[in-house]
Amino acid sequence: MSTPVGVPAPGELLRRLGARATATDDPVTHVERVAPSAGVTAPWPDWVPEPLRAGLARRGVVTPWRHQVTAANHAYEGRHVIVATGTASGKSLAYQLPTLAALLTDPRATALYLAPTKALAADQLRAVAELELDGVRPACYDGDTPRAEREWIRRHSRFVLTNPDMLHHGILPGHAHWSTFLRRLAFVVVDECHTYRGVFGSHVAHVLRRLRRQAARYGPSVAVAGPDDRSRPSAGTPVFVLASATSGDPAAAAERLTGLPVTAVTEDSSPRGGLTFALWEPPLLPPPVTGSTGGFDAEPDGGADDGRADDDGAGGAGDGRADEDGPEGVGQVRRSALRETADLLSDAVAAGVRTLAFVRSRRGAEVVATTARRQLDEAVPGLGDRVAAYRAGYLSEERRALERALLSGQLLGLASTNALELGVDLVGLDAVLICGYPGTRASLWQQAGRAGRSAREALAVLVARDDPLDTYLVHHPEALFGRPVEATVLDPNNPYVLGPQLCCAAAEAPLTPADLALFGEGAPAAVEALVAAGALRKRPTGWYWRHTGRPDVDLRGTGGTPVAVVESSTGRLLGTVDPGSSHFLVHPGAVYLHQGVSYVVDELDLADGCALVHAQEPDWSTHARDVTDLSVLSVRSRVDAGPVSLFLGEVDVTSQVVSYQRRRIATGEVIDTRPLDLPARELRTVAVWFTLTEASLAEAGITTAEVPGALHAAEHAAIGLLPLVATCDRWDIGGISTALHPDTGLPTVFVYDGHPGGAGFAERAYEAASSWLRATRAAIAECGCETGCPSCVQSPKCGNGNNPLEKAAAVRILDVVLANLPKEPK
């Protein structure tokens, strides 16, 4: 377990990276050493065919690890199984063994592989094709597959690799064309299943139930080999094999996802190289010059998948992240995490270290790559060509070319969104930079695990953004290390998911009473509501879809068809933005980055789903602003604790992007604010909120004038710290605070899920309210600033410009809440 010759060891590399800091300004707040571990092998199962063993041997797999054999045996014997082990632990072999063995043993059998991204499916296709197994005929079937090839795949491929979106939009609606494949379906592989959380995960859970339904309609399926070569029919239900990063209670999560009993294999027996994991806090910038608006670094922090900004608005799903913006009106701030990551990336590449930098936003990835390229070219002309950006929204040809360049070693550094977090095999990486906490410990370890493959020593560095959660974590390493990762949160009974999915199922084949049990306890009531709404018609034989076209259901909650970004002068398609992000990223006048080139949006046509842009290099950045209103619809649960009450319930949130600011890139100075005329959008979701009596605030020494700012500051910090207790990102949630809300009649702080119908995050906040708010109070109280900063109470997406904020009074408000709230609300 050594470092390749010529590449600095992790400790030496970390020392070099920190060499710019002074003795009193050491950016490294903590170094965690993860010791290497030896692997434990197991004999090949007797049922593995010789051609499969030979193909794996050619690929360098001589003996499997014990966890691979354990999971493979479960699957081959007909038990649904999830293997939840660390990054680079060889989970793919755990499902390849039973799946490919079945295809080689029975020439009729078929298998379906599902990946959350096209890149991962393409990577798995390469791995299976390299085995050169006769008769398997693996093929990718996704949106990039040419029409001419699709018919051949339907007829001849026995191992189809696709994604949930294509299964939902293409395969299941056209199930008659797939009847032979479905009739013979023996295995379904669900890779990286920990990514199926929230609303997206809830949709995928029903897509899998629809798949089970169609397989049963065309079944019984092929026989599945049992112990001692005995066989038993699968009765139309294929065996599900799921692969996941390490997660809390993977069996329960897999059962919610598939609706089936699942056995979990969690003991990781693969060898692991040592990992040096550093927590890195960028230094404070000098105080701003008098007359400036804050002395921002060239690219301040923040960042959202959707770039949304209301009072502290939810971002929702997608990968259309905006640039990383600092809050307004701040005093002393820390150096941008983007700038710090770009410096670290360029230093690592200059040292010959193959490095992957994870950045939370699309624009952030572009900024990091562009900055690193410029710095490297200044040092060694041409060296900048060995760094690139990688993100969703690129055309598929661009993504494949970047993957090949990284695998071949042509690229030494890559700045990527979480599009490369998943299992694409990136061999030979020496270091990973993580620009901002990715939202969950599961994602943190998944990203860190991308380095050090083949049992090599590796370095991972978490670069903290200037926000409450990141600041809390780099000074409380116990919150990251030595703690179990979070459980995956999804809710198939979400009515905003269940109803549309039942419509899809009915459009594929009439629903019968027996079908309803497949879709959960809420299905009977949901079907009756759909009948009343005119979506379904009830007949003696079942429930029928009433319309001619198929239901328009978006699995990822992005709001429909992506908006195309087109260069006006040439008609060239630059990329796409999801509809939920379009109001923030490609509004008229917005600056849009693509592969380091700046464009300015001329026109956004929402009806046609097109944004027209022209190339321009302005000296400003753009920042959309919106306004939000919230009303309470119902209360599910409440805790009355004297002067404090805690609630969980349904709310309506109305938001509208009304303007955008132009800010100088060099200083952060606000040039002007320009109005926008975009439609309002409504969100019905789930929220957690707490109220306090005015008397309790007065007793805590909070004046009437301080109440709005105190509540506002507490709301910001609470949103920032919620990912500690729920598997969410702060951009999945939003919040509003008010000194007198019309529906409660009291000072109130709301935190709501940024997805229609909720995603389970508010429920988790309600259940863990005491620990959540205690961490929130600690983050504010322990911050060394005087009146509030991005590290504690200022939010990068505040629609009110972080005004008013009362840091000290926010601590006193949380003291009142924590003094009265029970530790575990019921």
Side-chain angles (χ1 to χ4, degrees), residues 45-52 76 96-110 133-136 158 186-187 222-226 229-231:
D46 294 337
W47 46 261
V48 178
E50 182 55 36
L52 179 54
Y76 196 75
Q96 287 173 358
L97 283 178
T99 301
L100 296 174
L103 300 187
L104 291 171
T105 304
D106 185 342
R108 300 172 303 150
T110 61
L133 302 175
D134 290 338
V136 173
R158 298 175 57 225
F187 284 94
V222 297
V224 177
D229 292 327
R230 292 190 298 269
S231 297

Side-chain angles (χ1 to χ4, degrees), residues 415-589:
S416 172
T417 61
N418 61 2
L420 281 180
E421 177 181 316
L422 305 180
V424 177
D425 191 11
L426 305 177
V427 295
L429 292 180
D430 305 303
V432 164
L433 307 173
I434 304 170
C435 182
Y437 182 60
T440 65
R441 289 185 295 278
S443 288
L444 180 75
W445 287 107
Q446 185 80 350
Q447 293 181 6
R450 303 305 274 160
R453 294 193 172 221
S454 304
R456 284 163 45 172
E457 293 284 324
L459 173 68
V461 180
L462 171 62
V463 181
R465 293 172 302 145
D466 205 359
D467 78 5
L469 180 57
D470 284 36
T471 301
Y472 179 87
L473 291 173
V474 294
H475 291 286
H476 291 81
E478 71 279 2
L480 291 177
F481 303 112
R483 292 189 61 183
V485 297
E486 307 87 350
T488 303
V489 177
L490 60 102
D491 180 16
N493 286 318
N494 181 336
Y496 289 85
V497 173
L498 178 57
Q501 286 292 333
L502 287 171
C503 289
C504 293
E508 291 157 7
L511 287 166
T512 66
D515 290 331
L516 298 188
L518 187 65
F519 293 95
E521 60 185 20
V527 164
E528 294 305 320
L530 293 169
V531 171
L536 300 182
R537 175 180 288 116
K538 186 175 183 180
R539 291 180 176 172
T541 53
W543 291 271
Y544 288 72
W545 174 242
R546 294 189 59 176
H547 306 285
T548 54
R550 294 203 301 263
D552 183 12
V553 178
D554 176 21
L555 297 188
R556 298 179 185 261
T558 55
T561 305
V563 173
V565 182
V566 178
E567 189 172 24
S568 304
S569 59
T570 64
R572 180 167 66 103
L573 176 64
L574 299 176
T576 59
V577 173
D578 68 77
S581 305
S582 61
H583 290 211
F584 297 87
L585 295 183
V586 290
H587 58 75

Side-chain angles (χ1 to χ4, degrees), residues 188-531:
V188 176
V189 176
V190 185
D191 205 356
E192 304 289 0
C193 66
H194 62 281
T195 62
Y196 301 129
R197 62 179 179 87
V199 170
F200 178 42
S202 303
H203 274 295
V204 172
H206 286 297
V207 171
L208 296 180
R209 285 159 174 77
R210 287 161 49 201
L211 173 63
R212 290 173 51 203
R213 178 174 178 246
Q214 292 302 331
R217 288 182 70 242
Y218 288 106
S221 184
V222 297
V224 177
D228 303 320
D229 292 327
R230 292 190 298 269
S231 297
R232 54 187 175 84
S234 64
T237 299
V239 175
F240 280 76
V241 187
L242 301 95
S244 169
T246 304
S247 62
D249 201 355
E255 289 173 1
R256 284 194 300 273
L257 188 64
T258 62
L260 295 164
V262 178
T263 301
V265 175
T266 58
E267 183 181 354
D268 189 342
S269 57
S270 64
R272 306 292 302 175
L275 177 68
T276 300
F277 203 136
L279 304 183
W280 185 291
E281 185 175 42
L284 287 168
L285 292 172
V289 179
T290 303
S292 77
T293 61
F296 279 82
D297 199 6
E299 284 294 337
D301 289 331
D305 260 343
D306 305 88
R308 301 192 184 188
D310 51 42
D311 185 35
D312 201 20
D319 196 341
R321 301 187 180 192
D323 66 330
E324 327 255 302
D325 314 322
E328 303 167 44
V330 299
Q332 195 170 10
V333 298
R334 294 196 176 273
R335 194 166 189 262
S336 158
L338 283 179
R339 176 71 66 174
E340 200 81 346
T341 302
D343 286 354
L344 296 176
L345 180 61
S346 59
D347 288 348
V349 169
V353 177
R354 295 184 65 179
T355 305
L356 177 61
F358 283 106
V359 188
R360 294 166 54 84
S361 70
R362 289 184 179 187
R363 181 162 183 169
E366 298 276 7
V367 167
V368 167
T370 300
T371 305
R373 281 196 297 262
R374 184 176 64 247
Q375 292 174 344
L376 288 166
D377 280 334
E378 290 173 354
V380 180
L383 188 56
D385 294 339
R386 303 194 71 181
V387 175
Y390 183 105
R391 61 173 175 82
Y394 283 177
L395 303 180
S396 61
E397 297 84 358
E398 293 177 299
R399 294 197 302 270
R400 300 295 93 79
L402 288 168
E403 291 161 18
R404 289 192 297 269
L406 187 64
L407 290 170
S408 69
Q410 179 184 345
L411 287 175
L412 269 181
L414 199 63
S416 172
T417 61
N418 61 2
L420 281 180
E421 177 181 316
L422 305 180
V424 177
D425 191 11
L426 305 177
V427 295
L429 292 180
D430 305 303
V432 164
L433 307 173
I434 304 170
C435 182
Y437 182 60
T440 65
R441 289 185 295 278
S443 288
L444 180 75
W445 287 107
Q446 185 80 350
Q447 293 181 6
R450 303 305 274 160
R453 294 193 172 221
S454 304
R456 284 163 45 172
E457 293 284 324
L459 173 68
V461 180
L462 171 62
V463 181
R465 293 172 302 145
D466 205 359
D467 78 5
L469 180 57
D470 284 36
T471 301
Y472 179 87
L473 291 173
V474 294
H475 291 286
H476 291 81
E478 71 279 2
L480 291 177
F481 303 112
R483 292 189 61 183
V485 297
E486 307 87 350
T488 303
V489 177
L490 60 102
D491 180 16
N493 286 318
N494 181 336
Y496 289 85
V497 173
L498 178 57
Q501 286 292 333
L502 287 171
C503 289
C504 293
E508 291 157 7
L511 287 166
T512 66
D515 290 331
L516 298 188
L518 187 65
F519 293 95
E521 60 185 20
V527 164
E528 294 305 320
L530 293 169
V531 171

Side-chain angles (χ1 to χ4, degrees), residues 54-129:
L56 291 168
R58 287 193 300 271
R59 213 170 67 186
V61 181
V62 179
T63 309
W65 307 118
R66 185 171 60 195
H67 69 275
Q68 295 171 326
V69 173
T70 301
N73 277 328
H74 280 304
Y76 196 75
E77 292 167 7
R79 288 183 288 274
H80 310 292
V81 63
I82 179 171
V83 54
T85 53
T87 308
S89 59
K91 292 186 286 289
S92 59
L93 187 63
Y95 55 72
Q96 287 173 358
L97 283 178
T99 301
L100 296 174
L103 300 187
L104 291 171
T105 304
D106 185 342
R108 300 172 303 150
T110 61
L112 183 68
Y113 169 92
L114 296 173
T117 66
K118 296 176 184 178
L120 181 54
D123 186 67
Q124 284 297 307
L125 175 63
R126 285 191 295 268
V128 174

Side-chain angles (χ1 to χ4, degrees), residues 304-311 313-316 320-323 325 363 577-592 601 604 606 622-628 655-661 676 678-679 681 731 797 799:
D305 260 343
D306 305 88
R308 301 192 184 188
D310 51 42
D311 185 35
R321 301 187 180 192
D323 66 330
D325 314 322
R363 181 162 183 169
V577 173
D578 68 77
S581 305
S582 61
H583 290 211
F584 297 87
L585 295 183
V586 290
H587 58 75
V591 176
Y592 176 82
V601 178
L604 172 60
L606 293 171
T622 52
H623 312 272
R625 310 292 299 275
D626 70 351
V627 295
T628 301
S655 62
Q656 183 177 16
V657 175
V658 295
S659 64
Y660 70 97
Q661 286 184 343
L676 290 170
L678 293 169
R681 292 190 280 192
W731 301 91
K797 55 179 182 169

